[in-house]
Amino acid sequence: MANEILDNRGRGEATWHFPAFHPESHKFAIAAAALSGLCAFFAWETLAWPVAALVPCILAFFRDPKRVTPQGDKYIVSPADGLITLIQQVDPPRELVMDDGSGVPGLVPGPVTRLSIFMSVFDVHINRAPIGGTVRRVVYIPGKFMNADLDKASEENERQHILIERGDGVKIGFTQIAGLVARRIVPFVKPGDLLAAGQRVGLIRFGSRVDVYLPAGTEPKVLMGQRVIAGETVLAEIGQAALIEGVSQ
């Protein structure tokens, strides 16, 4: 049936659809079209055509294609489209670890594996939940706009941390990081929201990066230089240590 979910049991209808455009694109596309029309009105054709060409480029940047998320309690799916540029052992950001007064513990202190996904201006910029669960934290931090591909962008650029907790206590933290061209992180969720894996959580305008902090004992299933797809590519499978840690908290 066309209205059923696409899954590995043969349900649903898999057909190609032209990607939708996120509503965030409307104001930019309308502004570019209006400016192009104004240039044409004053016979400034050398400006009118290049500005008109921006309209499909803007719509392409804000495209919001459908995604089919793998089903399984162990899967951590990619929150972003892009290129795996860094795989490192680091301490999680203090905003995801410290006591925030909510009564819900953050991530456990200590080194974990961080996967960094770089999004160019040609990638889809809608970000998605890596696991299903409850949003425990959304922490926005103003900062610089350095090249998001640099390691220090994780600590110095404008960014937003999100922490999601499953019903069994397993937590995943990830960070949306603005880059050279990006100038705004747009959240779609707030603390207390209940999400499914692969559900949209926000976007970063015009090029950026997302860092994912894997739970303890969880090994990545992706490699440096690999391209990943938000809501579809499995980054890792949650290890037994993370499950025990989640229950103990």
Side-chain angles (χ1 to χ4, degrees):
M1 297 293 293
N3 292 329
E4 289 184 350
I5 188 170
L6 298 175
D7 64 11
N8 61 358
R9 294 180 176 83
R11 297 179 296 184
E13 183 178 301
T15 57
W16 187 87
H17 296 276
F18 196 84
F21 305 113
H22 191 271
E24 188 77 8
S25 67
H26 296 170
K27 54 190 173 185
F28 296 101
I30 291 171
L35 181 58
S36 175
L38 188 64
C39 291
F41 179 79
F42 287 104
W44 299 337
E45 281 133 6
T46 53
L47 284 176
W49 286 110
V51 174
L54 284 177
V55 176
C57 293
I58 290 169
L59 293 175
F61 176 84
F62 284 101
R63 66 195 184 278
D64 186 11
K66 293 182 179 181
R67 297 285 163 82
V68 180
T69 301
Q71 303 298 299
D73 291 339
K74 289 188 175 182
Y75 295 148
I76 300 173
V77 298
S78 178
D81 284 29
L83 188 71
I84 301 289
T85 55
L86 292 169
I87 300 177
Q88 298 174 309
Q89 290 291 310
V90 300
D91 290 322
R94 61 185 297 272
E95 293 82 8
L96 293 176
V97 175
M98 61 184 284
D99 182 359
D100 66 349
S102 67
V104 179
L107 298 179
V108 176
V112 296
T113 300
R114 181 182 70 192
L115 305 180
S116 297
I117 305 165
F118 178 75
M119 296 180 287
S120 75
V121 293
F122 301 106
D123 289 310
V124 173
H125 276 63
I126 302 291
N127 297 147
R128 296 172 180 264
I131 60 170
T134 302
V135 178
R136 295 302 187 190
R137 298 183 186 182
V138 179
V139 184
Y140 170 78
I141 301 172
K144 301 177 182 178
F145 297 96
M146 298 185 299
N147 185 351
D149 209 16
L150 298 175
D151 184 26
K152 60 183 178 179
S154 296
E155 288 78 36
E156 298 189 24
N157 277 22
E158 176 178 325
R159 57 202 181 276
Q160 180 166 262
H161 303 294
I162 299 177
L163 181 65
I164 300 176
E165 181 180 16
R166 297 197 324 189
D168 59 4
V170 172
K171 301 182 182 73
I172 298 288
F174 61 102
T175 305
Q176 299 168 288
I177 303 171
L180 273 175
V181 184
R183 284 298 182 270
R184 190 181 176 201
I185 300 172
V186 183
F188 301 163
V189 297
K190 62 186 183 303
D193 286 350
L194 186 62
L195 304 176
Q199 186 171 333
R200 298 164 180 82
V201 297
L203 67 85
I204 318 173
R205 291 207 297 238
F206 307 116
S208 41
R209 167 177 154 188
V210 174
D211 286 347
V212 186
Y213 298 89
L214 301 182
T218 301
E219 293 296 325
K221 299 291 186 183
V222 291
L223 301 173
M224 291 270 290
Q226 181 176 339
R227 290 198 59 81
V228 295
I229 300 174
E232 294 193 351
T233 302
V234 174
L235 296 180
E237 294 185 9
I238 297 172
Q240 189 65 28
L243 295 172
I244 294 172
E245 183 180 276
V247 172
S248 66
Q249 288 190 336

